[in-house]
Amino acid sequence: MGLFGRLKRGLALTKDSIIVLRHNPTLMTFPLVAGASGIVFLALLLGGAYGMVDTIEGNETVGYVVLFVAYLVTTFISSFFTAGLVYETRQAFDGKPTNFRRGLNAAWGVKGKLLVWSVIAATIGVVIRAIESSDSRVARIFAWVFSAAWSILTFFVVPVAVLEPDESVRSMFTTSGRTFRQTWGESAIGMIGPGLIAFAVFAVGAVAAFGIFTGTGSVLVAGAIVGLFLVVAILLSATIKGIIKTSLYVYATEGKRPSEFGDTDFQSLNS
């Protein structure tokens, strides 16, 4: 199937995922709490790093340690709540009401694997960052290629971790890579739809804010509206991406098409 066909199928995945979200709005709670937790952590980390600015500037090793901690904790927070989102999305596919606490319990049950994944991801992130900071153009190109390959290999790591709790850490990566190969067109192009949705929501907010600013001259109110729509856009995008990823993984591993995905031709995923 050509690019246009894959794009059409990717947009169908987005449309069907919105239906799932409309029926299960609790799913949006996971990225909301993840985002809030990440912001609090980064604020604390940056506050501490500000007090060590002279040390960091004079010692590159300390700077990389701070960067590693930032990658590690933010990756774990994101992975933990994404695991809860994926688990509850899977429950929704079975017709069960979604439950935030149940999703957290499922994520907590695989916290060890998520932590190991976060350590590995943080290490790779620091290595890529170090290569990118090199003066060598070849090194920067290598870092870009390696980063893309790493993203492909680990695309389904979190779904594997939470939906296949008996899988080892090593098999998390092999299963993730194999599943991506089976669904590569939708895995890659399917992520475009949520981005378009986020852009549309933000654009509406920007237009509304401009209209209010033009009519009232209030920068504060206009800024608040832009901020609100930006948050909603980010939450929608993150939730829809999680639903799409779960649907692809479930079909690739179980051969089941969620009932809400009537517009998506799953049978031609790897065509």
Side-chain angles (χ1 to χ4, degrees):
M1 179 175 289
L3 178 61
F4 178 77
R6 293 189 183 279
L7 179 60
K8 182 179 179 180
R9 230 164 35 193
L11 294 176
L13 279 168
T14 300
K15 177 184 175 182
D16 293 337
S17 295
I18 292 174
I19 295 175
V20 175
L21 178 57
R22 189 171 70 237
H23 293 163
N24 304 276
T26 303
L27 295 175
M28 198 180 291
T29 308
F30 292 99
L32 174 62
V33 178
S37 301
I39 290 174
V40 170
F41 164 72
L42 288 177
L44 294 174
L45 180 65
L46 292 176
Y50 181 77
M52 301 170 54
V53 63
D54 293 335
T55 303
I56 294 175
E57 289 181 350
N59 191 325
E60 189 176 14
T61 301
V62 176
Y64 279 119
V65 169
V66 173
L67 182 62
F68 175 81
V69 172
Y71 277 149
L72 172 61
V73 178
T74 54
T75 299
F76 181 77
I77 290 173
S78 175
S79 300
F80 184 84
F81 287 100
T82 298
L85 169 62
V86 169
Y87 185 84
E88 285 306 301
T89 298
R90 183 67 186 84
Q91 301 305 305
F93 290 165
D94 286 337
K96 300 176 182 178
T98 53
N99 184 284
F100 180 70
R101 178 174 294 183
R102 183 179 59 198
L104 293 186
N105 288 337
W108 184 255
V110 294
K111 60 185 180 298
K113 290 197 295 184
L114 294 178
L115 179 59
V116 173
W117 150 243
S118 299
V119 171
I120 295 173
T123 302
I124 296 297
V126 171
V127 170
I128 292 175
R129 181 68 184 86
I131 297 175
E132 288 177 339
S133 63
S134 170
D135 294 331
S136 171
R137 184 175 181 180
V138 174
R140 291 196 296 271
I141 294 175
F142 171 79
W144 183 86
V145 173
F146 181 78
S147 178
W150 175 251
S151 297
I152 290 173
L153 176 66
T154 61
F155 190 83
F156 288 104
V157 159
V158 174
V160 175
V162 71
L163 297 181
E164 312 290 347
D166 294 331
E167 292 267 11
S168 66
V169 172
R170 180 179 179 180
S171 62
M172 281 167 46
F173 292 93
T174 56
T175 302
S176 174
R178 182 174 64 251
T179 306
F180 187 91
R181 287 195 301 272
Q182 292 176 303
T183 64
W184 74 268
E186 281 64 34
S187 294
I189 299 179
M191 297 298 107
I192 295 178
L196 294 176
I197 295 296
F199 176 78
V201 171
F202 178 73
V204 170
V207 171
F210 179 76
I212 290 177
F213 175 74
T214 302
T216 66
S218 175
V219 177
L220 183 62
V221 175
I225 291 177
V226 169
L228 176 62
F229 274 81
L230 177 61
V231 170
V232 172
I234 293 173
L235 292 179
L236 276 174
S237 178
T239 308
I240 294 172
K241 284 180 180 179
I243 295 172
I244 291 176
K245 189 176 294 188
T246 305
S247 70
L248 292 172
Y249 182 79
V250 168
Y251 186 82
T253 57
E254 303 178 23
K256 297 179 181 179
R257 183 178 72 175
S259 59
E260 292 88 346
F261 285 75
D263 295 329
T264 304
D265 180 15
F266 281 93
Q267 292 183 344
S268 56
L269 278 177
N270 55 359
S271 62

